[in-house]
Amino acid sequence: MSFKEKWQREWNFEKKLNFVIGSAILNLIILAISLSAAMFVYTLSRRNNEYAREHLELMAEDYAENLNQYKALLTSLVLDENIQQYCEATEKTQTYQTMGAAYTSLLDVLRIQGNANFAAVTNDRLGTYVYSGNISAQAGNFEESFARDYAQSLPANESGSIRMSFSDCYNRYGTHTMTLYFPVYSLTRMVSSNGVLVINLNDSILERIQKKTSLASSRMYLTDQSGMIVSTKQKDRIGELLDAKGRITGESGRFWSHGTLVNYRKVTGWNYYLVHEIPGMELYENVIQMALLMLGAMLAVTVGVLMVTKKITGRLYRPFYKVISKMNDVSEGNLSTRIHTIDTDSDSRKLAEGFNQMMDEIDHLMDQVKEEQQQITQMELNALQSQIQPHFLYNTLECIHWQAVTDGSQNISAMVKALAQYYRICLSGGKDIIALETELAHVKNYLIIQNMRYDNIIELHIDVPEEFLSVQLPKLTLQPLVENSIYHGIRVKEGRKGTVVIQARAAGDDLLVRVQDNGEGMTDEAIRELNRTIGRFERTRGYGIHNVHKRLELLFGEGYGLKFYAGEKGGLTAEIRIPKDGGNDV
């Protein structure tokens, strides 16, 4: 049994009242939790967004400052006289003479820059290099990795020649390091570079920044403009493309990606982005805990309120229960039962007095019923013996008609005469199939009555060739359509007269009878829906149209029946398709 049926048939008033109050309280709890959670989420999200934005700005400034320091270091080395002389050497003997001085300059850089692994400078003309580092050039794979890593490096800043790479090619243990490449141009001829200055460093800024974050599961990345991770605490992710590739543009921004809040900030002056990811579940963890806490507290309150409500409704329902108990006694045949009014409130006393009065009245009526039962039985017998025959109805209407003529009441006479003809055709001597001519007469009589009701607002035009007047069709086929035109089309047009036109035209072996009006009409969509559902009954449309269509379809077969069209000059057109000759054989 469905909930609706249980509510209507099985639940008493007390149970319904408890259910309504409990549902109202539960809905209020859900609404309160939802609003609180929404406000908490909004506040927390805004706070975290502000924190992430400010945090990223500080980190980007810090990172830009570090990179600018590296740039300044590279610039000073490029301007160093020893480096310039080594890169400008065109003969082997010259390189040998300048190599020591260049080595000294590189060694000074390693002493200044504590996180530098090695520094090197190449002479592109002679294919030689000077290397100074914490590990040897062979151990650091410098000769094998330099050309390849330099080719794969990317422009590091928006304006300048520095290139940068983050790779593990210079470390035998697979540790990723930062390598800066700076072409060495002649101070006198800035045409082409004579060599490349190389500095390899341990870039630990991201690890330091990661330790400062307040959210344990948040992640920080340094990416290039393509979205590839070039530096992060999670070393195994270096070289990956972020899922948010293509969405990191401009100077800064934020967005959600696969349940993660992503904030990003461009490192000022450099072609890199700092990206901060915060898992959504971590953001909402406090919200869930708060919601569960509120839910537990409110459920406890709900249980208490429901218990108190149940007691109150029980006391309120007690007078009704007395009445229901006494009504059960009545249903079992105990008509002498009464409700005592002692120790009851005013409302309950009125209810009890009303019940007692009702039972006293029932007793009195029962006595009357017993006395009248014999009379009723006799009257039913007499009614069966004197059933009215149809001709008695016609004769009575005829008498009323002539009496109206005698009294000069022409309107009454016309209406009674039309009504007599209307019912004579309705009965049709028991026939179900009549001629089209008879059905048209039936419509005329119907409109005589309707025009008297509605002050002649309907004008009828019949355009049916004489050759089709004998075609047979079910009785009451046209009248429901005319009635539909009046009540749903013409009558709604206040202050205007309507016209109904009935036409008949041959269509091969079939006859098409159209009933047209100039009423309000219907939209094209409504007409399509009407034609689609004409074969099934719907309460909103009533019985008439459905009844006409089904009778025609059952009588003549599929393809025959009703179809509706929009009128050429407004209104609605109903088209009836019946066989021209088949009707004569029905």
Side-chain angles (χ1 to χ4, degrees):
M1 184 179 291
S2 66
F3 174 78
K4 184 178 180 181
E5 292 175 337
K6 288 183 179 180
W7 175 277
Q8 293 177 342
R9 300 181 181 180
E10 294 186 359
W11 287 14
N12 58 23
F13 177 76
E14 182 182 13
K15 194 170 184 179
K16 291 179 180 178
L17 186 60
N18 286 328
F19 176 80
V20 170
I21 295 175
S23 299
I25 294 173
L26 185 60
N27 288 328
L28 287 174
I29 290 175
I30 294 174
L31 180 61
I33 293 176
S34 300
L35 290 175
S36 300
M39 289 297 296
F40 192 77
V41 168
Y42 172 75
T43 303
L44 185 64
S45 298
R46 185 175 63 179
R47 187 190 69 185
N48 280 298
N49 287 333
E50 289 295 324
Y51 165 78
R53 184 181 61 80
E54 294 173 0
H55 194 49
L56 274 177
E57 286 181 358
L58 292 174
M59 288 188 293
E61 291 176 3
D62 193 6
Y63 208 86
E65 183 178 349
N66 273 32
L67 293 177
N68 288 331
Q69 289 177 1
Y70 297 153
K71 180 181 177 181
L73 180 63
L74 289 171
T75 303
S76 66
L77 269 178
V78 168
L79 298 176
D80 186 89
E81 182 180 355
N82 297 328
I83 299 297
Q84 284 285 329
Q85 288 177 358
Y86 172 76
C87 290
E88 288 181 353
T90 58
E91 298 178 1
K92 291 284 186 179
T93 55
Q94 290 179 318
T95 60
Y96 296 147
Q97 294 172 358
T98 59
M99 187 176 292
Y103 178 83
T104 301
S105 297
L106 295 176
L107 187 59
D108 290 340
V109 170
L110 294 180
R111 291 170 181 167
I112 296 172
Q113 195 66 39
N115 65 329
N117 296 317
F118 69 82
V121 61
T122 66
N123 184 312
D124 292 346
R125 296 176 180 177
L126 300 176
T128 61
Y129 67 89
V130 177
Y131 177 92
S132 176
N134 299 326
I135 58 175
S136 66
Q138 290 76 17
N141 300 321
F142 179 78
E143 291 186 13
E144 299 175 2
S145 304
F146 167 72
R148 182 178 68 256
D149 192 60
Y150 181 54
Q152 294 175 352
S153 64
L154 299 173
N157 52 356
E158 296 174 353
S159 61
S161 302
I162 298 177
R163 299 180 69 85
M164 186 184 298
S165 75
F166 293 83
S167 65
D168 58 356
C169 64
Y170 291 118
N171 191 293
R172 67 176 66 182
Y173 303 109
T175 302
H176 284 76
T177 56
M178 175 195 293
T179 307
L180 298 172
Y181 299 96
F182 198 174
V184 180
Y185 290 92
S186 171
L187 297 179
T188 56
R189 299 188 309 277
M190 300 291 290
V191 178
S192 61
S193 63
N194 298 322
V196 178
L197 187 62
V198 185
I199 295 182
N200 180 265
L201 310 106
N202 289 323
D203 180 42
S204 60
I205 187 170
L206 279 180
E207 295 183 14
R208 298 199 308 271
I209 292 171
Q210 196 86 26
K211 292 178 182 178
K212 297 179 182 178
T213 181
S214 61
L215 299 174
S217 58
S218 65
R219 296 176 293 274
M220 188 74 65
Y221 309 110
L222 179 69
T223 71
D224 60 20
Q225 290 182 311
S226 67
M228 185 179 73
I229 300 173
V230 297
S231 182
T232 181
K233 185 179 179 181
Q234 295 79 26
K235 302 299 182 182
D236 57 328
R237 296 205 60 186
I238 293 177
E240 290 184 15
L241 282 174
L242 287 178
D243 293 338
K245 174 189 175 185
R247 300 177 68 179
I248 300 178
T249 58
E251 293 296 321
S252 63
R254 66 184 179 90
F255 55 87
W256 284 92
S257 176
H258 304 293
T260 301
L261 178 62
V262 180
N263 284 275
Y264 64 89
R265 177 82 181 185
K266 190 174 183 182
V267 180
T268 306
W270 298 82
N271 297 328
Y272 291 93
Y273 285 93
L274 280 176
V275 181
H276 187 209
E277 290 185 348
I278 306 174
M281 285 305 297
E282 183 167 338
L283 286 175
Y284 299 135
E285 183 178 0
N286 294 332
V287 178
I288 296 173
Q289 292 176 354
M290 184 198 71
L292 290 176
L293 182 63
M294 290 180 61
L295 181 61
M298 290 189 174
L299 284 177
V301 173
T302 302
V303 172
V305 172
L306 288 178
M307 291 177 64
V308 174
T309 301
K310 188 173 182 181
K311 289 185 178 181
I312 295 174
T313 54
R315 293 178 66 87
L316 293 174
Y317 184 68
R318 192 175 301 164
F320 296 97
Y321 180 76
K322 287 183 180 180
V323 175
I324 293 172
S325 177
K326 295 300 181 179
M327 290 298 294
N328 288 334
D329 293 342
V330 173
S331 65
E332 293 174 359
N334 183 10
L335 300 181
S336 61
T337 185
R338 298 292 185 274
I339 299 176
H340 299 291
T341 58
I342 302 175
D343 297 330
T344 57
D345 56 59
S346 59
D347 292 333
S348 301
R349 187 163 52 253
K350 289 180 180 178
L351 185 62
E353 290 173 352
F355 176 84
N356 294 337
Q357 185 177 359
M358 178 187 69
M359 294 308 301
D360 292 340
E361 187 68 22
I362 289 175
D363 284 339
H364 177 68
L365 292 175
M366 287 294 291
D367 293 336
Q368 289 184 351
V369 168
K370 290 178 182 178
E371 294 177 0
E372 296 173 356
Q373 187 61 46
Q374 289 182 337
Q375 298 178 16
I376 294 174
T377 303
Q378 187 61 43
M379 290 172 63
E380 289 178 350
L381 179 63
N382 293 338
L384 290 173
Q385 292 174 346
S386 60
Q387 290 181 339
I388 300 175
Q389 300 299 325
H391 68 269
F392 176 74
L393 174 64
Y394 304 150
N395 292 340
T396 302
L397 291 174
E398 187 70 16
C399 289
I400 296 173
H401 161 65
W402 286 112
Q403 185 64 44
V405 171
T406 303
D407 293 342
S409 300
Q410 297 300 324
N411 289 338
I412 297 176
S413 171
M415 180 176 284
V416 170
K417 187 175 181 180
L419 183 62
Q421 290 295 325
Y422 180 85
Y423 281 113
R424 190 180 300 274
I425 295 173
C426 281
L427 296 173
S428 303
K431 296 179 181 179
D432 292 326
I433 306 300
I434 61 176
L436 177 57
E437 182 178 16
T438 305
E439 180 70 11
L440 291 173
H442 182 56
V443 170
K444 292 176 183 177
N445 289 316
Y446 171 76
L447 285 178
I448 290 173
I449 298 171
Q450 292 290 41
N451 273 323
M452 288 186 176
R453 290 182 64 193
Y454 297 118
D455 194 22
N456 294 313
I457 67 167
I458 306 116
E459 185 177 348
L460 176 65
H461 295 286
I462 297 177
D463 181 14
V464 178
E466 187 175 353
E467 59 183 297
F468 300 137
L469 293 177
S470 60
V471 173
Q472 302 291 297
L473 75 168
K475 67 181 178 182
L476 296 177
T477 296
L478 299 180
Q479 184 270 331
L481 301 179
V482 174
E483 181 178 352
N484 190 66
S485 294
I486 294 173
Y487 282 91
H488 299 290
I490 297 173
R491 202 177 66 170
V492 298
K493 299 170 67 173
E494 297 181 3
R496 295 172 56 187
K497 291 192 174 183
T499 301
V500 176
V501 179
I502 300 177
Q503 297 177 324
R505 296 290 183 270
D509 294 333
D510 297 333
L511 182 67
L512 300 179
V513 182
R514 294 188 180 95
V515 178
Q516 307 174 41
D517 65 64
N518 63 342
E520 290 296 309
M522 300 171 66
T523 63
D524 293 341
E525 183 179 353
I527 292 174
R528 285 193 297 271
E529 180 66 14
L530 178 60
N531 287 326
R532 188 179 67 83
T533 60
I534 190 68
R536 62 174 184 261
F537 169 69
E538 293 186 1
R539 294 186 181 277
T540 56
R541 193 166 55 235
Y543 291 90
I545 295 175
H546 167 77
N547 183 282
V548 170
H549 177 78
K550 291 304 291 184
R551 284 190 295 134
L552 291 171
E553 191 176 49
L554 291 172
L555 191 62
F556 300 123
E558 189 176 354
Y560 293 98
L562 269 177
K563 196 166 186 180
F564 289 87
Y565 302 93
E568 296 179 358
K569 298 181 180 180
L572 191 66
T573 297
E575 182 181 87
I576 304 168
R577 179 180 288 271
I578 57 176
K580 235 181 346 181
D581 300 324
N584 293 325
D585 301 328
V586 176

